[in-house]
Amino acid sequence: MIYLWVAIIIVSVIADIATSLMLFVWYGVGALVAAILELYGFGFGSQVVAFAVVGSILTIIFYPIFKRKLKNIPKTLTREEQYIGTELVAKEDIDRNGRIMVDGAYWSVINEGEPIKAGNKIKIIAIKGTKFLVKGE
């Protein structure tokens, strides 16, 4: 039965790595306790109870703590999200749709305000699908 507990430990660690939830690893600790009990000659019923109790208690205690900690990790912005708030000068007139150059690449834009004339300042205010939403300054 030691192989069952080792398999549960491996699966729980892989599941937590894959999901980044820190939810399943606590049952891996319960499986470790059950494996230790088997080494000391305890019966399978005792091992299952220890697995369930230890895994459940650790999950109830530690999962909320890790969930709060994971919420506090700042989100990594995509390249496009980093451009929000950038102010540029329009190279061409933009009525409703158009394009702008940002860092050497052309991007499709949707104008969210009054028509923009070439040479006017514009600001990237959001992203909609694959297009920037812009507004004249």
Side-chain angles (χ1 to χ4, degrees):
M1 279 292 143
I2 192 87
Y3 296 114
L4 170 67
W5 302 122
V6 171
I8 290 173
I9 293 168
I10 292 169
V11 168
S12 66
V13 169
I14 290 171
D16 267 342
I17 290 171
T19 63
S20 301
L21 290 177
M22 289 300 291
L23 177 62
F24 306 104
V25 73
W26 310 115
Y27 285 97
V29 174
L32 179 64
V33 170
I36 292 169
L37 290 178
E38 181 170 338
L39 292 175
Y40 282 103
F42 285 82
F44 184 69
S46 299
Q47 296 169 31
V48 170
V49 169
F51 164 73
V53 169
V54 170
S56 297
I57 289 173
L58 291 178
T59 300
I60 290 168
I61 293 171
F62 290 109
Y63 178 65
I65 293 169
F66 278 92
K67 191 173 177 183
R68 278 193 305 273
K69 295 279 186 197
L70 290 174
K71 280 185 179 179
N72 293 335
I73 296 174
K75 179 186 175 203
T76 302
L77 299 176
T78 64
R79 182 177 73 172
E80 294 83 9
E81 291 171 327
Q82 292 176 3
Y83 292 136
I84 294 174
T86 301
E87 295 181 358
L88 305 161
V89 175
K91 304 272 189 216
E92 58 188 54
D93 292 346
I94 303 172
D95 186 26
R96 176 74 182 133
N97 295 308
R99 65 184 188 148
I100 60 172
M101 182 180 281
V102 182
D103 288 342
Y106 282 101
W107 295 86
S108 297
V109 297
I110 300 172
N111 182 6
E112 290 289 303
E114 299 295 319
I116 300 168
K117 300 289 183 195
N120 288 358
K121 286 187 177 183
I122 59 173
K123 185 174 187 176
I124 300 171
I125 57 172
I127 301 171
K128 183 176 184 180
T130 59
K131 298 180 180 184
F132 286 131
L133 302 181
V134 296
K135 208 169 195 177
E137 295 273 314

